[in-house]
């Protein structure tokens, strides 16, 4: 059999430069956009009083496992540590790391903790799907509070961040894992039938739900609850629909809890952003209460997700209720890709082109621009005016600044890359506020 | 733009049945039945868009959100395991996914004793997980059509395939030995669409549900 992986025609002797599937190089434009998105999110986190921590990229697998469910464990990259002989792992999720840090390093500090993080995790994915194995997470954890206000704070922050990123058409879909668990527990189903039922509910497949129900005997009240589950999604009216059919106390308590959170979100003024899905079971295994996911139109996967996890820090020896959520930065990038604000983040302000051999003036001008906060790069290569302008265009500079042009009367000449218009600027004008705006809006020299 | 609903539908019988079904809830898409090579149809009044795609591609368009809704056989969904909602069984396109083998083999065969068997199929994932759940090791041979041929020429002993009337099996001297699943056509929904356009989509689901219960 031909080994296509290592197969190259005899005449070509290039080195193999392939990357493993599911990872990418992010070139300057994409990296600038990611930086923009992360920056906006981080600013929201800061404004709500969250402080960043940085977690290690490697942990002992058994330590990390304490805080992970079966699903995440199965998606963790693991390998031998030659030094210790123990198994190492790349964290597939940052929340268990935060739980460990809070339980073991911050356990003497006063509660609550408001912690944010921004980093990359690795997860095994089905190779066929071609999905990214590297996930950019920017998230927060609010630890030490079991109050509905804490859950509401997470949702309100998610809304604020998505609005700040310029989304106008998005929904935060809320659920309460205890609602589903209450119904499942009341049914008395176990093993294979329970698994089938959970699968059917997660797909909202009412006919499969009906099939499981007809093949197994469940109490009549449970029958009604389960049958309703795949259709309990929509606006706030869903809570009333649920109350009409649900009788088990665990699910009713979950409804009360969700109601309290929704009331607080009303005060935050974000109610029109919310949808409710009581049949959603996609949260991670460590979730214990309110969960939510953010959806923007036109993108199949959620852009953020999170929820309450009251038992996680206890697994590391410190009992504290907690809630949190994280953004999937690459999903956001995909949704925002061509927005003007993101495109703008890929540009630089000035390329400096020197007409003279003496570089003193051009370096002075560059310093002047940078001190006003403009990005300014020198075109150190010796080439003619047209080639430099071409380079400036290709590399997304907004303006080429020609220094040392005798016809500019001791000033500089700005060349707008977008249309090639030129504008003569005196040294005084170069130091005025709103220089770039002035150049962008000018009609140019006649 | 965001009020539009896009539906991915495969050509053929599913298309005809779907057009009829949607007609009953006031969504007129008879235009799709015209003998056109167009792949996309729009109805601006109803803010509906229809995409004609291959059946096996329907779940992909829906999972990625290029289409909000899709109409596709349960066999394709089982094979691909995509993360989409499938709220409605549309009841048409009934058939069975089954294991079949030559009549001569079947007369003396005991499925309980199967071990390391060779299966030809269009549905490698379904076949593999079905036999794996029973603890049977299988060698899967992926084919793209005329599966019934495989046992006749010794490519495999058995096949996993869809059967509706059983006529093709019979003509090729095969008999059904085990049923894996009953297959019907499903309405599938993109996860984000169900949330961001839940009013319109719920209306469609509820409308279709009423029509299906009445029939």
């Amino acid at each position: 059999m031909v080994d296509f992986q290592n197969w190259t025609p005899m005449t070509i002797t290039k080195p193999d430069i392939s990357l493993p599937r599911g990872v990418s190089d992010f070139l300057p434009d994409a990296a600038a956009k990611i930086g923009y998105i992360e920056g906006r999110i981080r600013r929201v986190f800061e404004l709500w009083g969250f402080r960043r921590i940085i977690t290690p990229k490697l942990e002992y697998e058994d330590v990390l496992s304490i805080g992970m469910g079966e699903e995440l464990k199965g998606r963790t990259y693991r390998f031998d540590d030659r030094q210790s002989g123990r198994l190492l792992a790349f964290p597939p999720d940052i929340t268990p790391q935060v739980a460990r840090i809070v339980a073991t390093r911050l356990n003497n500090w006063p509660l609550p903790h408001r912690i944010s993080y921004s980093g990359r995790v690795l997860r095994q994915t089905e190779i066929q799907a071609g999905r990214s194995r590297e996930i950019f997470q920017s998230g927060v954890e609010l630890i030490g509070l079991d109050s509905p206000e804490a859950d509401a704070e997470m949702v309100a922050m998610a809304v604020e961040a998505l609005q700040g990123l310029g989304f106008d058409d998005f929904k935060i879909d809320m659920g309460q894992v205890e609602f589903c668990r209450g119904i499942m527990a009341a049914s008395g189903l176990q093993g294979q039938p329970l698994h089938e039922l959970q699968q059917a509910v997660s797909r909202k497949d009412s006919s499969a739900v009906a099939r499981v129900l007809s093949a197994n005997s469940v109490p009549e009240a449970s029958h009604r609850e389960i049958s309703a589950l795949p259709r309990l999604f929509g606006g706030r009216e869903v809570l009333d629909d649920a109350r009409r059919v649900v009788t088990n106390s665990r699910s009713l308590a979950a409804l009360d809890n969700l109601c309290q959170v929704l009331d607080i979100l009303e005060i935050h003024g974000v109610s029109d952003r919310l949808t409710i899905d009581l049949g959603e079971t996609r949260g991670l295994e460590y979730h214990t209460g309110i969960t939510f996911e953010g959806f923007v139109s036109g993108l199949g996967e959620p852009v953020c997700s999170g929820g309450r996890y009251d038992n996680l820090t206890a697994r590391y020896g410190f009992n504290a209720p907690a809630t949190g959520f994280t953004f999937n930065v690459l999903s956001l990038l995909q949704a925002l890709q061509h927005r003007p604000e993101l495109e703008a983040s890929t540009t630089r302000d000035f390329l400096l082109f020197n007409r003279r051999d003496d570089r003193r003036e051009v370096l002075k001008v560059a310093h002047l621009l940078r001190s006003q906060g403009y990005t300014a790069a020198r075109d150190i290569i010796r080439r003619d005016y047209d080639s430099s302008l071409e380079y400036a265009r290709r590399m997304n500079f907004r303006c080429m600044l020609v220094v040392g042009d005798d016809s500019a009367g001791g000033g500089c000449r700005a060349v707008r890359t977008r249309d090639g218009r030129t504008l003569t600027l005196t040294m005084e004008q170069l130091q005025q506020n709103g220089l770039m705006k002035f150049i962008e809006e000018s009609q140019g020299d006649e | 733009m965001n009020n539009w609903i896009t539906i991915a539908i495969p050509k053929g019988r599913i298309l005809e049945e779907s057009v009829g079904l949607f007609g009953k809830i006031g969504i007129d898409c008879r235009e799709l039945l015209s003998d056109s090579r167009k792949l996309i149809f729009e109805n601006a009044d109803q803010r509906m868009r229809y995409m004609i795609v291959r059946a096996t591609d329907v779940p992909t368009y829906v999972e990625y959100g290029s289409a909000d809704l899709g109409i596709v056989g349960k066999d394709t969904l089982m094979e691909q395991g995509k993360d989409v909602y499938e709220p409605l069984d549309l009841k048409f396109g009934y058939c069975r996914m089954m294991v079949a083998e030559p009549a001569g083999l079947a007369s003396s065969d005991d499925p309980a004793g199967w071990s390391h068997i060779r299966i030809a199929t269009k549905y490698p994932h379904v076949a593999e997980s079905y036999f794996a759940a029973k603890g049977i090791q299988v060698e899967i041979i992926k084919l793209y059509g005329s599966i019934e041929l495989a046992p006749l020429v010794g490519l495999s002993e058995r096949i996993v395939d869809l059967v509706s009337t059983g006529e093709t099996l019979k003509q090729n001297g095969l008999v059904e030995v085990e049923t894996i699943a009953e297959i019907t056509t499903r309405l599938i929904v993109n996860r984000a669409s169900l949330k961001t356009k839940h009013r319109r989509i719920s209306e469609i689901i509820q409308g279709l549900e009423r029509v299906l219960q009445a029939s």
Side-chain angles (χ1 to χ4, degrees):
Chain A
M1 216 163 92
V2 180
D3 179 2
F4 283 101
Q5 211 102 63
N6 297 312
W7 181 82
T8 43
M10 295 298 288
T11 51
I12 303 172
T13 50
K14 276 190 201 161
D16 178 6
I17 45 86
S18 61
L19 279 179
R21 277 209 196 185
V23 296
S24 312
D25 298 322
F26 292 94
L27 301 185
D29 281 3
K33 291 177 180 180
I34 289 171
Y36 172 85
I37 293 170
E38 285 177 336
R40 294 301 288 245
I41 293 172
R42 202 175 297 164
R43 185 67 192 134
V44 172
F45 293 166
E46 282 167 10
L47 288 171
W48 286 71
F50 285 72
R51 294 214 300 163
R52 188 172 175 206
I53 63 169
I54 298 174
T55 57
K57 286 281 276 190
L58 270 185
E59 290 219 24
Y60 287 124
E61 197 269 345
D62 50 334
V63 174
L64 204 54
S65 283
I66 296 171
M68 297 193 300
E70 288 309 315
E71 205 232 318
L72 271 182
K73 276 188 213 165
R75 298 178 68 181
T76 307
Y77 285 94
R78 295 173 278 208
F79 51 93
D80 274 337
D81 182 14
R82 282 191 206 160
Q83 285 174 16
S84 65
R86 287 170 78 176
L87 207 52
L88 294 180
F90 292 127
D93 189 17
I94 294 176
T95 301
Q97 293 188 289
V98 177
R100 173 184 59 75
I101 292 169
V102 166
T104 59
R105 309 292 306 279
L106 304 177
N107 50 354
N108 291 322
W109 293 31
L111 295 173
H113 293 298
R114 281 189 165 81
I115 291 171
S116 75
Y117 57 83
S118 185
R120 289 188 280 177
V121 298
L122 286 169
R123 282 184 199 173
Q124 307 259 19
T125 53
E126 280 172 55
I127 293 303
Q128 273 303 323
R131 291 249 156 96
S132 182
R133 295 199 261 190
E134 203 165 14
I135 302 170
F136 287 60
Q137 294 190 328
S138 286
V140 288
E141 313 292 352
L142 176 45
I143 292 167
L145 290 167
D146 62 1
S147 134
E149 189 179 340
D151 296 289
E153 180 168 319
M154 297 297 101
V155 175
M157 281 170 75
V159 170
E160 191 169 308
L162 288 172
Q163 275 169 338
L165 284 166
F167 287 107
D168 36 39
D169 194 16
F170 66 88
K171 292 286 182 205
I172 303 288
D173 188 46
M174 301 191 48
Q176 223 288 7
V177 293
E178 279 294 296
F179 182 81
C180 249
R181 286 180 191 157
I183 290 179
M184 296 295 171
S187 75
L189 290 174
Q190 281 176 341
Q192 187 62 19
L194 179 63
H195 178 71
E196 274 171 37
L197 183 63
Q198 284 165 336
Q199 291 286 311
V201 167
S202 78
R203 291 195 309 265
K204 307 206 180 299
D205 183 349
S206 339
S207 62
V209 168
R211 210 166 39 246
V212 175
L213 287 178
S214 67
N216 298 277
S217 82
V218 297
E220 202 187 310
S222 273
H223 201 286
R224 270 199 309 278
E225 292 177 349
I226 294 170
S227 305
L229 209 41
R231 293 291 183 269
L232 288 178
F233 63 88
R236 194 162 177 169
E237 72 284 352
V238 167
L239 296 185
D240 301 326
D241 297 344
R243 264 185 223 289
R244 274 194 286 277
V245 286
V246 168
T247 51
N248 81 80
S249 56
R250 199 167 160 188
S251 299
L252 286 171
L255 284 179
D256 288 341
N257 174 240
L258 186 51
C259 248
Q260 291 171 323
V261 175
L262 290 173
D263 288 343
I264 298 166
L265 286 167
E266 183 99 48
I267 304 172
H268 280 294
V270 299
S271 294
D272 57 333
R273 298 295 187 184
L274 307 179
T275 58
I276 289 159
D277 191 340
L278 294 172
E280 192 53 78
T281 55
R282 274 176 183 73
L284 292 163
E285 284 145 296
Y286 53 64
H287 284 134
T288 56
I290 297 287
T291 57
F292 64 93
E293 289 180 297
F295 291 96
V296 302
S297 67
L299 195 67
E301 57 184 1
V303 293
C304 66
S305 59
R308 177 158 288 282
Y309 54 95
D310 287 345
N311 306 327
L312 193 55
T313 57
R315 295 196 212 165
Y316 290 100
F318 176 73
N319 209 343
T323 179
F325 77 102
T326 183
F327 282 101
N328 182 335
V329 177
L330 293 187
S331 303
L332 289 170
L333 175 66
Q334 207 189 328
L336 292 169
Q337 197 68 268
H338 302 296
R339 300 250 178 160
E341 318 87 85
L342 260 81
E343 294 295 351
S345 72
T346 68
T347 63
R348 285 173 282 178
D349 298 324
F350 292 101
L351 179 73
L352 279 84
F353 177 71
N354 193 8
R355 286 275 195 209
R356 297 212 177 96
D357 286 332
D358 187 333
R359 56 177 66 92
R360 264 173 298 189
E361 188 184 356
V362 76
L363 292 184
K364 201 180 92 197
V365 169
H367 177 77
L368 199 69
L369 292 170
R370 289 178 196 129
S371 68
Q372 295 174 74
Y374 292 111
T375 50
R378 263 277 287 135
D379 192 20
I380 293 174
I381 284 186
R382 274 185 186 276
R383 54 183 149 196
D384 61 27
Y385 177 93
D386 289 333
S387 312
S388 273
L389 185 57
E390 184 47 40
Y391 171 82
R393 282 204 176 105
R394 180 76 183 74
M395 301 305 279
N396 260 345
F397 282 95
R398 295 157 83 182
C399 181
M400 179 167 89
L401 199 62
V402 183
V403 180
D405 195 330
D406 290 332
S407 67
C412 301
R413 177 159 293 133
V415 188
R416 204 154 64 191
T417 49
R418 121 173 93 90
D419 54 7
R421 275 187 188 258
T422 59
L423 175 68
T424 308
L425 298 165
T426 63
M427 290 308 271
E428 288 73 43
Q429 281 175 315
L430 273 184
Q431 295 173 62
Q432 271 165 17
N433 280 339
L435 170 66
M436 184 50 86
K437 189 161 184 267
F438 178 66
I439 294 172
E440 287 283 349
E441 290 171 0
S442 122
Q443 294 301 307
D445 297 328
E446 280 315 311
Chain B
M1 188 63 190
N2 281 322
N3 294 325
W4 285 66
I5 297 284
T6 303
I7 310 186
I9 311 180
K11 260 198 173 352
R13 256 198 49 219
I14 287 188
L15 180 61
E16 287 166 31
E17 298 256 15
S18 307
V19 169
L21 197 56
F22 280 121
K24 288 183 192 160
I25 58 165
I27 297 177
D28 181 4
C29 49
R30 280 171 296 179
E31 193 195 355
L32 297 181
L33 299 174
S34 66
D35 210 12
S36 161
R37 279 166 185 260
K38 264 182 17 181
L39 296 176
I40 204 156
F41 294 85
E42 285 187 354
N43 183 334
D45 294 339
Q46 298 198 314
R47 285 172 294 137
M48 298 289 290
R49 185 182 295 110
Y50 308 92
M51 298 171 20
I52 306 290
V53 304
R54 270 188 73 117
T56 46
D57 294 336
V58 170
T60 308
Y61 281 100
V62 175
E63 186 184 40
Y64 281 86
S66 308
D68 301 303
L69 307 179
I71 295 174
V72 66
K74 180 71 183 170
D75 54 323
T76 308
L77 292 171
M78 284 169 68
E79 178 63 19
Q80 300 185 358
K82 293 271 200 266
D83 191 12
V84 294
Y85 292 131
E86 39 172 301
L88 270 189
D89 181 349
L90 300 176
K91 303 270 167 56
F92 60 83
Y94 176 84
C95 55
R96 274 163 294 131
M97 174 96 68
M98 44 89 241
V99 188
E101 60 188 19
L105 175 60
S107 59
S108 62
D109 195 24
D110 173 15
W114 284 349
S115 174
H116 199 83
I117 57 175
R118 209 192 279 172
I119 300 279
T121 184
K122 258 196 275 191
Y123 302 96
H125 284 118
V126 174
E128 197 165 351
S129 53
Y130 175 73
F131 288 109
K134 293 162 74 93
I136 300 169
Q137 294 78 52
V138 284
E139 185 179 336
I140 306 278
I141 299 173
K142 159 97 188 175
L143 294 178
Y144 292 85
S146 306
I147 314 298
E148 298 83 0
L149 191 59
L152 303 184
V153 297
L155 187 58
S156 70
E157 298 101 50
R158 299 175 182 85
I159 63 170
V160 165
D161 203 11
L162 296 182
V163 54
S164 49
T165 62
E167 196 48 40
T168 317
L169 280 188
K170 210 166 132 194
Q171 287 189 9
N172 289 292
L174 301 175
V175 293
E176 194 178 332
V177 281
E178 285 191 347
T179 302
I180 296 176
E182 312 216 306
I183 305 294
T184 47
T185 306
R186 304 302 174 102
L187 176 80
I188 60 172
V189 184
N190 170 264
R191 292 194 64 220
S193 302
L194 189 81
K195 321 294 183 186
T196 55
K197 304 176 181 177
H198 88 260
R199 262 172 234 293
R200 287 202 71 192
I201 291 175
S202 292
E203 250 172 54
I204 293 174
I205 293 174
Q206 283 159 13
L208 291 175
E209 205 159 34
R210 273 194 296 274
V211 170
L212 290 164
Q213 273 159 6
S215 63

